[in-house]
Amino acid sequence: MSFLDDFLIRATLAGIGVALAAAPLGCFVVWRRMAYFGDATAHAAILGVALALAFDSAILVGVLGVSLAMAITVSSLSNKGYAMDTLLGVLAHSALAIGLVAVSFLQGVRVDLMAYLFGDILAVGRADLAIIWGGAVVVVILLVWRWQALLTATLNPDLAYAAGFDPKREQMVLTLALAVVVAVAIKVVGVLLIGALLLIPAATARPFSGTPERMALMAAGLGAISAMLGLQMSYQYDTPAGPSVVVVAAVFFAIAAIVAPILRRSGH
């Protein structure tokens, strides 16, 4: 009997895999003040699910394609004079609504919308696990490879140009990484909670991190711990798994919000 035969172990590994990719990427979302960007990309995933089912293709392909298209659309329209928060709010809610309407038109196909909206991590199989960890490895390698360029472009686009980096290209790298994370995370936490897994660990780590690298590593660790404790909470108290993971992450954020000012006043 393989240890992967235990559904709770598969779920835990899936949660850790998503956290390791989402949390460091979430640092760039926080630094760039792009909270709605993750939401807009994630909400578009429902439309990807509908298209994949309509054309009888893999869910991963549909979600990845539509998430990437949404991320590119947002990046393109952001330079056309629209206020970013307004643009992202409109696109996020519109994409979710269009996806839900599209799903309702599917005939003869049973769609568990709750699983896609809030995740179904306890139903993760071996194939799902391979996809999640494959996507996580791709995102982590991409972030490590482009780390200096991404960081420079985030902090100062003019400095990035002077250093030989193209900020627009780095924005596209982030866009691609975000689309991959959304595609692999939909099974774990669902489209409504992906944004939370991107933002909360990164926001929690920020007050305690002296360097960007430390913040990314700390965010990944907090995300992984949140996944493990959230699943234990779900198993122990029969609560929804995906939301339980986010609740634990939110508790860590609340503790950090209380502790950080105390440490600053004490000089640590």
Side-chain angles (χ1 to χ4, degrees), residues 23-35 143 147-148 150-156 174 198-199 202-203 205-207 209-217 219:
L25 184 60
C27 292
F28 286 99
V29 174
V30 169
W31 294 329
R32 288 172 174 252
R33 296 185 174 93
M34 293 166 55
L143 289 178
W147 180 263
Q148 194 56 52
L150 286 168
L151 194 58
T152 306
T154 297
L155 298 177
N156 191 324
L174 277 181
L198 280 166
L199 290 172
R206 191 172 193 175
S209 306
T211 65
E213 292 80 8
R214 184 179 299 173
M215 179 174 165
L217 290 173

PDB file of all heavy atoms in Angstrom, residues 23-35 143 147-148 150-156 174 198-199 202-203 205-207 209-217 219:
ATOM      1  N   ALA A  23       2.320  31.524  -2.861  1.00  0.00           N
ATOM      2  CA  ALA A  23       2.760  32.509  -1.881  1.00  0.00           C
ATOM      3  C   ALA A  23       3.896  33.413  -2.388  1.00  0.00           C
ATOM      4  O   ALA A  23       3.809  34.639  -2.264  1.00  0.00           O
ATOM      5  CB  ALA A  23       3.164  31.813  -0.578  1.00  0.00           C
ATOM      6  N   PRO A  24       4.980  32.875  -2.978  1.00  0.00           N
ATOM      7  CA  PRO A  24       6.015  33.771  -3.511  1.00  0.00           C
ATOM      8  C   PRO A  24       5.487  34.660  -4.641  1.00  0.00           C
ATOM      9  O   PRO A  24       5.841  35.838  -4.740  1.00  0.00           O
ATOM     10  CB  PRO A  24       7.086  32.796  -4.041  1.00  0.00           C
ATOM     11  CG  PRO A  24       6.872  31.541  -3.286  1.00  0.00           C
ATOM     12  CD  PRO A  24       5.392  31.464  -3.085  1.00  0.00           C
ATOM     13  N   LEU A  25       4.618  34.105  -5.486  1.00  0.00           N
ATOM     14  CA  LEU A  25       4.006  34.910  -6.543  1.00  0.00           C
ATOM     15  C   LEU A  25       3.139  36.003  -5.929  1.00  0.00           C
ATOM     16  O   LEU A  25       3.074  37.131  -6.433  1.00  0.00           O
ATOM     17  CB  LEU A  25       3.167  34.011  -7.453  1.00  0.00           C
ATOM     18  CG  LEU A  25       2.521  34.659  -8.677  1.00  0.00           C
ATOM     19  CD1 LEU A  25       3.573  35.263  -9.596  1.00  0.00           C
ATOM     20  CD2 LEU A  25       1.683  33.642  -9.421  1.00  0.00           C
ATOM     21  N   GLY A  26       2.488  35.666  -4.823  1.00  0.00           N
ATOM     22  CA  GLY A  26       1.665  36.646  -4.114  1.00  0.00           C
ATOM     23  C   GLY A  26       2.464  37.834  -3.607  1.00  0.00           C
ATOM     24  O   GLY A  26       1.924  38.942  -3.467  1.00  0.00           O
ATOM     25  N   CYS A  27       3.745  37.629  -3.341  1.00  0.00           N
ATOM     26  CA  CYS A  27       4.593  38.755  -2.908  1.00  0.00           C
ATOM     27  C   CYS A  27       4.636  39.833  -3.983  1.00  0.00           C
ATOM     28  O   CYS A  27       4.549  41.028  -3.686  1.00  0.00           O
ATOM     29  CB  CYS A  27       5.999  38.261  -2.585  1.00  0.00           C
ATOM     30  SG  CYS A  27       6.113  37.189  -1.136  1.00  0.00           S
ATOM     31  N   PHE A  28       4.771  39.421  -5.239  1.00  0.00           N
ATOM     32  CA  PHE A  28       4.789  40.395  -6.329  1.00  0.00           C
ATOM     33  C   PHE A  28       3.424  41.049  -6.495  1.00  0.00           C
ATOM     34  O   PHE A  28       3.337  42.234  -6.825  1.00  0.00           O
ATOM     35  CB  PHE A  28       5.213  39.724  -7.640  1.00  0.00           C
ATOM     36  CG  PHE A  28       6.677  39.410  -7.704  1.00  0.00           C
ATOM     37  CD1 PHE A  28       7.140  38.135  -7.434  1.00  0.00           C
ATOM     38  CD2 PHE A  28       7.598  40.402  -8.000  1.00  0.00           C
ATOM     39  CE1 PHE A  28       8.500  37.851  -7.474  1.00  0.00           C
ATOM     40  CE2 PHE A  28       8.963  40.123  -8.048  1.00  0.00           C
ATOM     41  CZ  PHE A  28       9.412  38.847  -7.779  1.00  0.00           C
ATOM     42  N   VAL A  29       2.360  40.302  -6.248  1.00  0.00           N
ATOM     43  CA  VAL A  29       1.015  40.870  -6.297  1.00  0.00           C
ATOM     44  C   VAL A  29       0.866  41.951  -5.225  1.00  0.00           C
ATOM     45  O   VAL A  29       0.297  43.017  -5.464  1.00  0.00           O
ATOM     46  CB  VAL A  29      -0.047  39.766  -6.111  1.00  0.00           C
ATOM     47  CG1 VAL A  29      -1.449  40.360  -6.006  1.00  0.00           C
ATOM     48  CG2 VAL A  29       0.005  38.781  -7.272  1.00  0.00           C
ATOM     49  N   VAL A  30       1.414  41.687  -4.031  1.00  0.00           N
ATOM     50  CA  VAL A  30       1.363  42.665  -2.941  1.00  0.00           C
ATOM     51  C   VAL A  30       2.229  43.878  -3.254  1.00  0.00           C
ATOM     52  O   VAL A  30       1.801  45.027  -3.102  1.00  0.00           O
ATOM     53  CB  VAL A  30       1.814  42.015  -1.606  1.00  0.00           C
ATOM     54  CG1 VAL A  30       2.030  43.073  -0.528  1.00  0.00           C
ATOM     55  CG2 VAL A  30       0.785  40.995  -1.151  1.00  0.00           C
ATOM     56  N   TRP A  31       3.463  43.639  -3.704  1.00  0.00           N
ATOM     57  CA  TRP A  31       4.370  44.748  -3.999  1.00  0.00           C
ATOM     58  C   TRP A  31       3.835  45.650  -5.105  1.00  0.00           C
ATOM     59  O   TRP A  31       4.017  46.861  -5.081  1.00  0.00           O
ATOM     60  CB  TRP A  31       5.747  44.211  -4.400  1.00  0.00           C
ATOM     61  CG  TRP A  31       6.475  43.514  -3.306  1.00  0.00           C
ATOM     62  CD1 TRP A  31       6.388  43.782  -1.974  1.00  0.00           C
ATOM     63  CD2 TRP A  31       7.387  42.409  -3.433  1.00  0.00           C
ATOM     64  NE1 TRP A  31       7.183  42.913  -1.266  1.00  0.00           N
ATOM     65  CE2 TRP A  31       7.812  42.070  -2.122  1.00  0.00           C
ATOM     66  CE3 TRP A  31       7.882  41.691  -4.513  1.00  0.00           C
ATOM     67  CZ2 TRP A  31       8.717  41.041  -1.882  1.00  0.00           C
ATOM     68  CZ3 TRP A  31       8.776  40.663  -4.275  1.00  0.00           C
ATOM     69  CH2 TRP A  31       9.183  40.338  -2.969  1.00  0.00           C
ATOM     70  N   ARG A  32       3.175  45.056  -6.081  1.00  0.00           N
ATOM     71  CA  ARG A  32       2.651  45.831  -7.217  1.00  0.00           C
ATOM     72  C   ARG A  32       1.242  46.359  -6.966  1.00  0.00           C
ATOM     73  O   ARG A  32       0.642  46.978  -7.847  1.00  0.00           O
ATOM     74  CB  ARG A  32       2.656  44.956  -8.479  1.00  0.00           C
ATOM     75  CG  ARG A  32       4.048  44.690  -9.050  1.00  0.00           C
ATOM     76  CD  ARG A  32       3.996  43.656 -10.166  1.00  0.00           C
ATOM     77  NE  ARG A  32       5.296  43.508 -10.813  1.00  0.00           N
ATOM     78  CZ  ARG A  32       5.581  43.951 -12.033  1.00  0.00           C
ATOM     79  NH1 ARG A  32       4.657  44.563 -12.754  1.00  0.00           N
ATOM     80  NH2 ARG A  32       6.783  43.782 -12.550  1.00  0.00           N
ATOM     81  N   ARG A  33       0.693  46.070  -5.780  1.00  0.00           N
ATOM     82  CA  ARG A  33      -0.671  46.479  -5.446  1.00  0.00           C
ATOM     83  C   ARG A  33      -1.661  45.983  -6.505  1.00  0.00           C
ATOM     84  O   ARG A  33      -2.449  46.736  -7.070  1.00  0.00           O
ATOM     85  CB  ARG A  33      -0.767  48.001  -5.293  1.00  0.00           C
ATOM     86  CG  ARG A  33       0.047  48.550  -4.138  1.00  0.00           C
ATOM     87  CD  ARG A  33      -0.185  50.038  -3.947  1.00  0.00           C
ATOM     88  NE  ARG A  33       0.489  50.523  -2.752  1.00  0.00           N
ATOM     89  CZ  ARG A  33       1.711  51.035  -2.744  1.00  0.00           C
ATOM     90  NH1 ARG A  33       2.382  51.112  -3.878  1.00  0.00           N
ATOM     91  NH2 ARG A  33       2.252  51.470  -1.628  1.00  0.00           N
ATOM     92  N   MET A  34      -1.589  44.690  -6.773  1.00  0.00           N
ATOM     93  CA  MET A  34      -2.395  44.075  -7.828  1.00  0.00           C
ATOM     94  C   MET A  34      -3.355  43.031  -7.243  1.00  0.00           C
ATOM     95  O   MET A  34      -3.568  41.968  -7.828  1.00  0.00           O
ATOM     96  CB  MET A  34      -1.484  43.395  -8.862  1.00  0.00           C
ATOM     97  CG  MET A  34      -0.634  44.350  -9.659  1.00  0.00           C
ATOM     98  SD  MET A  34       0.700  43.477 -10.544  1.00  0.00           S
ATOM     99  CE  MET A  34      -0.236  42.269 -11.463  1.00  0.00           C
ATOM    100  N   ALA A  35      -3.952  43.333  -6.081  1.00  0.00           N
ATOM    101  CA  ALA A  35      -4.806  42.350  -5.423  1.00  0.00           C
ATOM    102  C   ALA A  35      -5.942  41.877  -6.333  1.00  0.00           C
ATOM    103  O   ALA A  35      -6.243  40.680  -6.419  1.00  0.00           O
ATOM    104  CB  ALA A  35      -5.376  42.931  -4.137  1.00  0.00           C
ATOM    105  N   LEU A 143      10.148  31.858 -11.314  1.00  0.00           N
ATOM    106  CA  LEU A 143      10.402  32.961 -10.385  1.00  0.00           C
ATOM    107  C   LEU A 143      11.883  33.037 -10.004  1.00  0.00           C
ATOM    108  O   LEU A 143      12.448  34.131  -9.920  1.00  0.00           O
ATOM    109  CB  LEU A 143       9.547  32.794  -9.121  1.00  0.00           C
ATOM    110  CG  LEU A 143       8.035  33.025  -9.290  1.00  0.00           C
ATOM    111  CD1 LEU A 143       7.308  32.780  -7.976  1.00  0.00           C
ATOM    112  CD2 LEU A 143       7.749  34.433  -9.791  1.00  0.00           C
ATOM    113  N   TRP A 147      14.039  36.208 -11.031  1.00  0.00           N
ATOM    114  CA  TRP A 147      13.843  36.913  -9.770  1.00  0.00           C
ATOM    115  C   TRP A 147      14.392  38.338  -9.802  1.00  0.00           C
ATOM    116  O   TRP A 147      13.688  39.297  -9.488  1.00  0.00           O
ATOM    117  CB  TRP A 147      14.479  36.135  -8.616  1.00  0.00           C
ATOM    118  CG  TRP A 147      14.302  36.824  -7.292  1.00  0.00           C
ATOM    119  CD1 TRP A 147      15.182  37.633  -6.656  1.00  0.00           C
ATOM    120  CD2 TRP A 147      13.131  36.772  -6.464  1.00  0.00           C
ATOM    121  NE1 TRP A 147      14.661  38.095  -5.465  1.00  0.00           N
ATOM    122  CE2 TRP A 147      13.396  37.579  -5.330  1.00  0.00           C
ATOM    123  CE3 TRP A 147      11.902  36.134  -6.562  1.00  0.00           C
ATOM    124  CZ2 TRP A 147      12.465  37.758  -4.307  1.00  0.00           C
ATOM    125  CZ3 TRP A 147      10.969  36.310  -5.541  1.00  0.00           C
ATOM    126  CH2 TRP A 147      11.257  37.114  -4.435  1.00  0.00           C
ATOM    127  N   GLN A 148      15.657  38.501 -10.173  1.00  0.00           N
ATOM    128  CA  GLN A 148      16.267  39.825 -10.145  1.00  0.00           C
ATOM    129  C   GLN A 148      15.574  40.776 -11.116  1.00  0.00           C
ATOM    130  O   GLN A 148      15.323  41.950 -10.788  1.00  0.00           O
ATOM    131  CB  GLN A 148      17.761  39.733 -10.481  1.00  0.00           C
ATOM    132  CG  GLN A 148      18.548  41.000 -10.148  1.00  0.00           C
ATOM    133  CD  GLN A 148      18.413  41.406  -8.686  1.00  0.00           C
ATOM    134  OE1 GLN A 148      18.643  40.605  -7.780  1.00  0.00           O
ATOM    135  NE2 GLN A 148      18.022  42.654  -8.447  1.00  0.00           N
ATOM    136  N   LEU A 150      12.459  40.533 -12.272  1.00  0.00           N
ATOM    137  CA  LEU A 150      11.116  40.803 -11.770  1.00  0.00           C
ATOM    138  C   LEU A 150      11.145  41.808 -10.625  1.00  0.00           C
ATOM    139  O   LEU A 150      10.324  42.728 -10.570  1.00  0.00           O
ATOM    140  CB  LEU A 150      10.462  39.498 -11.290  1.00  0.00           C
ATOM    141  CG  LEU A 150       9.988  38.533 -12.366  1.00  0.00           C
ATOM    142  CD1 LEU A 150       9.649  37.174 -11.749  1.00  0.00           C
ATOM    143  CD2 LEU A 150       8.774  39.091 -13.090  1.00  0.00           C
ATOM    144  N   LEU A 151      12.096  41.630  -9.725  1.00  0.00           N
ATOM    145  CA  LEU A 151      12.195  42.505  -8.564  1.00  0.00           C
ATOM    146  C   LEU A 151      12.552  43.930  -8.989  1.00  0.00           C
ATOM    147  O   LEU A 151      11.948  44.904  -8.517  1.00  0.00           O
ATOM    148  CB  LEU A 151      13.250  41.954  -7.604  1.00  0.00           C
ATOM    149  CG  LEU A 151      13.275  42.545  -6.193  1.00  0.00           C
ATOM    150  CD1 LEU A 151      11.933  42.368  -5.517  1.00  0.00           C
ATOM    151  CD2 LEU A 151      14.379  41.889  -5.373  1.00  0.00           C
ATOM    152  N   THR A 152      13.511  44.060  -9.886  1.00  0.00           N
ATOM    153  CA  THR A 152      13.924  45.378 -10.352  1.00  0.00           C
ATOM    154  C   THR A 152      12.783  46.071 -11.087  1.00  0.00           C
ATOM    155  O   THR A 152      12.528  47.266 -10.883  1.00  0.00           O
ATOM    156  CB  THR A 152      15.142  45.267 -11.289  1.00  0.00           C
ATOM    157  OG1 THR A 152      16.176  44.545 -10.635  1.00  0.00           O
ATOM    158  CG2 THR A 152      15.661  46.652 -11.674  1.00  0.00           C
ATOM    159  N   ALA A 153      12.079  45.343 -11.948  1.00  0.00           N
ATOM    160  CA  ALA A 153      10.958  45.916 -12.693  1.00  0.00           C
ATOM    161  C   ALA A 153       9.820  46.313 -11.764  1.00  0.00           C
ATOM    162  O   ALA A 153       9.093  47.278 -12.028  1.00  0.00           O
ATOM    163  CB  ALA A 153      10.454  44.923 -13.732  1.00  0.00           C
ATOM    164  N   THR A 154       9.665  45.589 -10.660  1.00  0.00           N
ATOM    165  CA  THR A 154       8.615  45.904  -9.693  1.00  0.00           C
ATOM    166  C   THR A 154       8.954  47.161  -8.895  1.00  0.00           C
ATOM    167  O   THR A 154       8.109  48.024  -8.674  1.00  0.00           O
ATOM    168  CB  THR A 154       8.408  44.721  -8.725  1.00  0.00           C
ATOM    169  OG1 THR A 154       7.961  43.588  -9.470  1.00  0.00           O
ATOM    170  CG2 THR A 154       7.393  45.050  -7.660  1.00  0.00           C
ATOM    171  N   LEU A 155      10.215  47.268  -8.469  1.00  0.00           N
ATOM    172  CA  LEU A 155      10.625  48.393  -7.621  1.00  0.00           C
ATOM    173  C   LEU A 155      10.779  49.688  -8.409  1.00  0.00           C
ATOM    174  O   LEU A 155      10.383  50.758  -7.935  1.00  0.00           O
ATOM    175  CB  LEU A 155      11.950  48.049  -6.916  1.00  0.00           C
ATOM    176  CG  LEU A 155      11.915  46.856  -5.961  1.00  0.00           C
ATOM    177  CD1 LEU A 155      13.299  46.584  -5.404  1.00  0.00           C
ATOM    178  CD2 LEU A 155      10.928  47.108  -4.826  1.00  0.00           C
ATOM    179  N   ASN A 156      11.367  49.589  -9.609  1.00  0.00           N
ATOM    180  CA  ASN A 156      11.631  50.802 -10.385  1.00  0.00           C
ATOM    181  C   ASN A 156      11.772  50.458 -11.871  1.00  0.00           C
ATOM    182  O   ASN A 156      12.823  49.988 -12.301  1.00  0.00           O
ATOM    183  CB  ASN A 156      12.914  51.482  -9.879  1.00  0.00           C
ATOM    184  CG  ASN A 156      13.098  52.872 -10.453  1.00  0.00           C
ATOM    185  OD1 ASN A 156      12.760  53.135 -11.598  1.00  0.00           O
ATOM    186  ND2 ASN A 156      13.640  53.773  -9.637  1.00  0.00           N
ATOM    187  N   LEU A 174       5.096  37.386 -15.046  1.00  0.00           N
ATOM    188  CA  LEU A 174       4.191  37.303 -13.898  1.00  0.00           C
ATOM    189  C   LEU A 174       2.807  36.836 -14.329  1.00  0.00           C
ATOM    190  O   LEU A 174       2.162  36.038 -13.646  1.00  0.00           O
ATOM    191  CB  LEU A 174       4.074  38.667 -13.208  1.00  0.00           C
ATOM    192  CG  LEU A 174       5.160  39.047 -12.209  1.00  0.00           C
ATOM    193  CD1 LEU A 174       4.862  40.420 -11.613  1.00  0.00           C
ATOM    194  CD2 LEU A 174       5.271  38.010 -11.099  1.00  0.00           C
ATOM    195  N   LEU A 198      -3.063  33.647  -2.559  1.00  0.00           N
ATOM    196  CA  LEU A 198      -1.996  34.480  -3.119  1.00  0.00           C
ATOM    197  C   LEU A 198      -1.603  35.593  -2.155  1.00  0.00           C
ATOM    198  O   LEU A 198      -0.417  35.865  -1.946  1.00  0.00           O
ATOM    199  CB  LEU A 198      -2.449  35.104  -4.440  1.00  0.00           C
ATOM    200  CG  LEU A 198      -2.396  34.242  -5.709  1.00  0.00           C
ATOM    201  CD1 LEU A 198      -3.188  34.919  -6.817  1.00  0.00           C
ATOM    202  CD2 LEU A 198      -0.961  34.021  -6.153  1.00  0.00           C
ATOM    203  N   LEU A 199      -2.598  36.249  -1.572  1.00  0.00           N
ATOM    204  CA  LEU A 199      -2.350  37.493  -0.840  1.00  0.00           C
ATOM    205  C   LEU A 199      -2.041  37.321   0.642  1.00  0.00           C
ATOM    206  O   LEU A 199      -1.133  37.968   1.172  1.00  0.00           O
ATOM    207  CB  LEU A 199      -3.570  38.422  -0.977  1.00  0.00           C
ATOM    208  CG  LEU A 199      -3.812  39.032  -2.348  1.00  0.00           C
ATOM    209  CD1 LEU A 199      -5.144  39.766  -2.372  1.00  0.00           C
ATOM    210  CD2 LEU A 199      -2.688  39.977  -2.697  1.00  0.00           C
ATOM    211  N   ALA A 202       1.537  36.275   1.885  1.00  0.00           N
ATOM    212  CA  ALA A 202       2.490  37.339   1.552  1.00  0.00           C
ATOM    213  C   ALA A 202       2.294  38.551   2.451  1.00  0.00           C
ATOM    214  O   ALA A 202       3.262  39.134   2.953  1.00  0.00           O
ATOM    215  CB  ALA A 202       2.337  37.738   0.087  1.00  0.00           C
ATOM    216  N   ALA A 203       1.040  38.928   2.676  1.00  0.00           N
ATOM    217  CA  ALA A 203       0.757  40.078   3.550  1.00  0.00           C
ATOM    218  C   ALA A 203       1.154  39.791   4.990  1.00  0.00           C
ATOM    219  O   ALA A 203       1.604  40.689   5.718  1.00  0.00           O
ATOM    220  CB  ALA A 203      -0.731  40.418   3.466  1.00  0.00           C
ATOM    221  N   ALA A 205       3.657  37.810   5.939  1.00  0.00           N
ATOM    222  CA  ALA A 205       5.122  37.773   6.041  1.00  0.00           C
ATOM    223  C   ALA A 205       5.751  39.156   5.944  1.00  0.00           C
ATOM    224  O   ALA A 205       6.860  39.369   6.454  1.00  0.00           O
ATOM    225  CB  ALA A 205       5.681  36.876   4.940  1.00  0.00           C
ATOM    226  N   ARG A 206       5.087  40.085   5.315  1.00  0.00           N
ATOM    227  CA  ARG A 206       5.698  41.379   4.989  1.00  0.00           C
ATOM    228  C   ARG A 206       6.281  42.132   6.199  1.00  0.00           C
ATOM    229  O   ARG A 206       7.422  42.607   6.126  1.00  0.00           O
ATOM    230  CB  ARG A 206       4.679  42.262   4.262  1.00  0.00           C
ATOM    231  CG  ARG A 206       5.301  43.507   3.647  1.00  0.00           C
ATOM    232  CD  ARG A 206       4.304  44.238   2.770  1.00  0.00           C
ATOM    233  NE  ARG A 206       4.950  45.240   1.940  1.00  0.00           N
ATOM    234  CZ  ARG A 206       4.333  45.950   1.025  1.00  0.00           C
ATOM    235  NH1 ARG A 206       3.030  45.778   0.821  1.00  0.00           N
ATOM    236  NH2 ARG A 206       4.979  46.835   0.303  1.00  0.00           N
ATOM    237  N   PRO A 207       5.556  42.257   7.330  1.00  0.00           N
ATOM    238  CA  PRO A 207       6.115  43.034   8.445  1.00  0.00           C
ATOM    239  C   PRO A 207       7.355  42.418   9.082  1.00  0.00           C
ATOM    240  O   PRO A 207       8.094  43.107   9.797  1.00  0.00           O
ATOM    241  CB  PRO A 207       4.957  43.081   9.462  1.00  0.00           C
ATOM    242  CG  PRO A 207       3.745  42.682   8.714  1.00  0.00           C
ATOM    243  CD  PRO A 207       4.203  41.769   7.632  1.00  0.00           C
ATOM    244  N   SER A 209       9.817  40.706   7.392  1.00  0.00           N
ATOM    245  CA  SER A 209      10.822  40.369   6.385  1.00  0.00           C
ATOM    246  C   SER A 209      11.680  41.578   6.047  1.00  0.00           C
ATOM    247  O   SER A 209      11.163  42.614   5.613  1.00  0.00           O
ATOM    248  CB  SER A 209      10.139  39.849   5.105  1.00  0.00           C
ATOM    249  OG  SER A 209       9.272  38.786   5.411  1.00  0.00           O
ATOM    250  N   GLY A 210      12.982  41.423   6.255  1.00  0.00           N
ATOM    251  CA  GLY A 210      13.897  42.516   5.951  1.00  0.00           C
ATOM    252  C   GLY A 210      14.314  42.574   4.499  1.00  0.00           C
ATOM    253  O   GLY A 210      14.800  43.594   4.019  1.00  0.00           O
ATOM    254  N   THR A 211      14.124  41.477   3.779  1.00  0.00           N
ATOM    255  CA  THR A 211      14.504  41.418   2.366  1.00  0.00           C
ATOM    256  C   THR A 211      13.365  40.782   1.567  1.00  0.00           C
ATOM    257  O   THR A 211      12.557  40.021   2.122  1.00  0.00           O
ATOM    258  CB  THR A 211      15.776  40.581   2.149  1.00  0.00           C
ATOM    259  OG1 THR A 211      15.499  39.220   2.512  1.00  0.00           O
ATOM    260  CG2 THR A 211      16.928  41.120   2.988  1.00  0.00           C
ATOM    261  N   PRO A 212      13.288  41.065   0.269  1.00  0.00           N
ATOM    262  CA  PRO A 212      12.259  40.432  -0.566  1.00  0.00           C
ATOM    263  C   PRO A 212      12.368  38.913  -0.566  1.00  0.00           C
ATOM    264  O   PRO A 212      11.344  38.210  -0.543  1.00  0.00           O
ATOM    265  CB  PRO A 212      12.528  41.011  -1.957  1.00  0.00           C
ATOM    266  CG  PRO A 212      13.233  42.304  -1.714  1.00  0.00           C
ATOM    267  CD  PRO A 212      14.059  42.081  -0.490  1.00  0.00           C
ATOM    268  N   GLU A 213      13.594  38.407  -0.587  1.00  0.00           N
ATOM    269  CA  GLU A 213      13.785  36.961  -0.606  1.00  0.00           C
ATOM    270  C   GLU A 213      13.243  36.310   0.672  1.00  0.00           C
ATOM    271  O   GLU A 213      12.602  35.261   0.611  1.00  0.00           O
ATOM    272  CB  GLU A 213      15.276  36.623  -0.763  1.00  0.00           C
ATOM    273  CG  GLU A 213      15.858  36.978  -2.113  1.00  0.00           C
ATOM    274  CD  GLU A 213      16.208  38.460  -2.251  1.00  0.00           C
ATOM    275  OE1 GLU A 213      16.136  39.196  -1.243  1.00  0.00           O
ATOM    276  OE2 GLU A 213      16.541  38.890  -3.366  1.00  0.00           O
ATOM    277  N   ARG A 214      13.495  36.965   1.803  1.00  0.00           N
ATOM    278  CA  ARG A 214      12.991  36.423   3.065  1.00  0.00           C
ATOM    279  C   ARG A 214      11.467  36.439   3.094  1.00  0.00           C
ATOM    280  O   ARG A 214      10.827  35.511   3.588  1.00  0.00           O
ATOM    281  CB  ARG A 214      13.547  37.235   4.239  1.00  0.00           C
ATOM    282  CG  ARG A 214      13.159  36.673   5.603  1.00  0.00           C
ATOM    283  CD  ARG A 214      13.760  37.493   6.719  1.00  0.00           C
ATOM    284  NE  ARG A 214      15.221  37.480   6.667  1.00  0.00           N
ATOM    285  CZ  ARG A 214      16.002  38.225   7.447  1.00  0.00           C
ATOM    286  NH1 ARG A 214      15.456  39.067   8.325  1.00  0.00           N
ATOM    287  NH2 ARG A 214      17.308  38.139   7.356  1.00  0.00           N
ATOM    288  N   MET A 215      10.884  37.502   2.554  1.00  0.00           N
ATOM    289  CA  MET A 215       9.422  37.589   2.512  1.00  0.00           C
ATOM    290  C   MET A 215       8.830  36.466   1.675  1.00  0.00           C
ATOM    291  O   MET A 215       7.833  35.836   2.054  1.00  0.00           O
ATOM    292  CB  MET A 215       8.996  38.948   1.949  1.00  0.00           C
ATOM    293  CG  MET A 215       7.490  39.130   1.837  1.00  0.00           C
ATOM    294  SD  MET A 215       7.065  40.819   1.332  1.00  0.00           S
ATOM    295  CE  MET A 215       5.338  40.592   0.856  1.00  0.00           C
ATOM    296  N   ALA A 216       9.447  36.184   0.515  1.00  0.00           N
ATOM    297  CA  ALA A 216       8.948  35.121  -0.359  1.00  0.00           C
ATOM    298  C   ALA A 216       9.043  33.755   0.321  1.00  0.00           C
ATOM    299  O   ALA A 216       8.104  32.952   0.271  1.00  0.00           O
ATOM    300  CB  ALA A 216       9.721  35.116  -1.673  1.00  0.00           C
ATOM    301  N   LEU A 217      10.181  33.488   0.973  1.00  0.00           N
ATOM    302  CA  LEU A 217      10.363  32.201   1.655  1.00  0.00           C
ATOM    303  C   LEU A 217       9.410  32.062   2.837  1.00  0.00           C
ATOM    304  O   LEU A 217       8.819  30.999   3.054  1.00  0.00           O
ATOM    305  CB  LEU A 217      11.814  32.068   2.128  1.00  0.00           C
ATOM    306  CG  LEU A 217      12.860  31.872   1.022  1.00  0.00           C
ATOM    307  CD1 LEU A 217      14.269  31.926   1.611  1.00  0.00           C
ATOM    308  CD2 LEU A 217      12.641  30.537   0.307  1.00  0.00           C
ATOM    309  N   ALA A 219       6.537  33.606   3.215  1.00  0.00           N
ATOM    310  CA  ALA A 219       5.175  33.486   2.698  1.00  0.00           C
ATOM    311  C   ALA A 219       4.904  32.044   2.256  1.00  0.00           C
ATOM    312  O   ALA A 219       3.827  31.493   2.522  1.00  0.00           O
ATOM    313  CB  ALA A 219       4.964  34.442   1.527  1.00  0.00           C
TER     314      ALA A 219
END
